[in-house]
Amino acid sequence: MKRNAYIAAAASVVLIAGGPAAAAAAASADTARTAPAAVAPADVDAQAAAAAALKTYPGVVESLDKDDAVWHVDVIGKNGKHAELTVDTRSGKVFTENADDDSDDSGGNKALLAAKVDAQQAMKAALAAHPGKVWSVEWDDDDGGAAYWHVEVKESSGKTWNAHVDPTTGKVTAASDDNDNDNN
């Protein structure tokens, strides 16, 4: 009788001490067999690049375009200063390439700073009109006419679609197709 009590007590000790460890080891081994493979990080899209740039250099995005592994982002600060930034497409890390030291704006960016629709909103409007990925956005007021946002959207096929977005209403005012299949 004592022998059975000792065996039962020993078995209890083994189960109490080793049971959780054995269960954890078994669970770890099972998890390792069923865990998904590591997924490569997704590219930082235009909207995320703009947000990262503005977090580093607050202001208004004047232009943004993708060039291989970086986004080039030009930002005009509320004080009129200009900064040229790059945003890594994998990590989202922002690097300042060039920033003005003086605040002399000479009035050249008043329309951009006063626009009701910013670059991020222009990108959203263009994507609503034509799904794809934003490849570039640029404030355009050089034509002597009304200013607008020029947004370039690339389809998954590589075809490029260009939109002009009104900076007051956000309406896509003009669009054209372009058969540019450059996948930069």
Side-chain angles (χ1 to χ4, degrees), residues 47 119-129 134:
Q47 292 85 347
Q120 296 88 323
Q121 293 165 325
M123 288 186 272
K124 286 180 186 177
L127 289 173
V134 171

Side-chain angles (χ1 to χ4, degrees), residues 40-161:
D43 278 345
V44 172
D45 66 7
Q47 292 85 347
L54 291 173
K55 186 174 181 183
T56 299
Y57 197 93
V60 177
V61 171
E62 178 183 33
S63 68
L64 173 141
D65 67 287
K66 189 171 183 182
D67 183 18
D68 294 326
V70 296
W71 287 98
H72 295 283
V73 185
D74 286 351
V75 176
I76 305 299
K78 297 291 183 187
N79 58 3
K81 292 183 181 182
H82 174 257
E84 297 171 3
L85 310 169
T86 57
V87 180
D88 184 274
T89 60
R90 291 289 182 187
S91 68
K93 187 171 180 174
V94 179
F95 302 93
T96 303
E97 298 299 321
N98 187 19
D100 289 342
D101 292 329
D102 59 6
S103 61
D104 180 27
D105 175 25
S106 69
N109 295 311
K110 285 184 180 178
L112 170 63
L113 294 172
K116 292 181 181 179
V117 175
D118 63 19
Q120 296 88 323
Q121 293 165 325
M123 288 186 272
K124 286 180 186 177
L127 289 173
H130 196 86
K133 289 185 178 184
V134 171
W135 214 252
S136 70
V137 62
E138 180 178 16
W139 177 256
D140 193 342
D141 62 356
D142 295 334
D143 297 337
Y148 61 91
W149 289 105
H150 178 167
V151 182
E152 182 180 333
V153 177
K154 287 205 177 192
E155 299 174 348
S156 59
S157 67
K159 187 174 180 182
T160 302
W161 185 77

Side-chain angles (χ1 to χ4, degrees), residues 19 111 115 149 161 177-178 181:
W149 289 105
W161 185 77
D177 287 323
D178 183 6
N181 287 322

Side-chain angles (χ1 to χ4, degrees), residues 1 3 7 16 34 39 48 52-53 75 82 92 110 133 140:
M1 193 61 125
R3 182 174 170 253
I7 292 174
I16 290 171
T34 60
V39 177
V75 176
H82 174 257
K110 285 184 180 178
K133 289 185 178 184
D140 193 342

